[in-house]
Amino acid sequence: MSTAPIDRYAVAGNPVAHSRSPDIHAMFAAQTGEQLVYERLLCPLDGFEASLRGFAAAGGRGCNVTVPFKFEAHDLAARRSPRAALAGAVNVLRFDTEEQGGWFGDNSDGLGLVRDIEHNAARPLAGQRVLLLGAGGASAGVLGSLIAARPAEIHLANRSVDKAHALIESHADWAAQHGVRLAASGLDDLGTGFDLLINGTSASLGGAAVPVSAAVLKPGALALDMMYGPAARGFLDWAAAHGFEGRDGLGMLVEQAGESFLIWRGRRPDTAPVLAALRAQLAATP
C-alpha cells in the first residue's frame, strides 16, 4: 500500500546553519498533529531562485526566507498579501500551483515582532516613540505592522539616508491612516527620549557594536535585537550595561513562525510553550 509523501518546508537563506526554525516547526507539527518535515536550505548568494525552484520541484510546499533574500523572494511571488506588497519584502512563500495562481508571498515578520513586544514582553506600542535601525529587508518587513500598532512616532535610522527615506516614503500613506509620525535619518543626531529601540540591521551577525549611543533611549527603555542566540549576546550585554530591558529576536522568530504555519497549514499553533522550550535550550547552551 502506497503512502503519500510527507510535505516538505524549509528556511532558505545564507547563512542558515544557525536557524532554529526547523526545531520550532517540528514542535508545531507535534503539537498539531500535522505531518511535515522542515529543513534548512542554504542558497548561494547568486542562486536563490534556482535553489527554490529545485526545492519546489523536489516536493517542497513552501519556505521561510531569511537574509539576504527577502526582496528577491518578493519578486518571485506571483501573488502577494497586502502586507507583503507594502513591505516590498517576503519572508513566507507558499508554492501554490499555476492552477492556484502561482507562488504566494506573505510577510509574517511584522506581526511576529509586534506580538512579541506587546504580548510576550508586555510593552504596548500605542503612543510610544520607536527607533528602528536599518532599512533592509528586516526593517521593511516590520514597519507596516509597527505602524498599525499606532505608536506616536517611528524614526528610521540607517547608514544610507537615501534608503531610509525611500522606505519611509513607501509607508507614508499607511502611517497617515494610523496617525503615526515617520522620520528618517542617518545614525547620528537622532535626538533622545525613545521608548523602544529595534535593531533591524545585521550588525550583530558580524559581532559589530550597537551603532547608536545609549543616550538616545529613555531610562528603562526596551532594546530589542532581531537576532537571537550567540549573535545577540553583545547587544543584550550593551542593553544591560545601560539599564535597558534587553530582548533578543527569539520571540519574534517563534511568533512569525506561528503565522507561517497558519499560512501553510491553515492552523495556528500555540506559540507560548514553544518559545519557553527554546528559551530553556538557549539558557543551557554554553
Side-chain angles (χ1 to χ4, degrees), residues 11-22:
V11 55
N14 188 331
V16 291
H18 68 286
S19 177
R20 303 303 293 265
S21 291

Side-chain angles (χ1 to χ4, degrees), residues 7 17 26 70 95 105 109 117 166 178 222 224 248 263 268 281 286:
D7 292 340
K70 294 182 182 184
F95 300 145
D109 280 337
I117 291 170
H178 291 82
L222 177 64
L224 185 149
D248 66 7
I263 292 163
R268 184 187 299 277
Q281 290 175 16

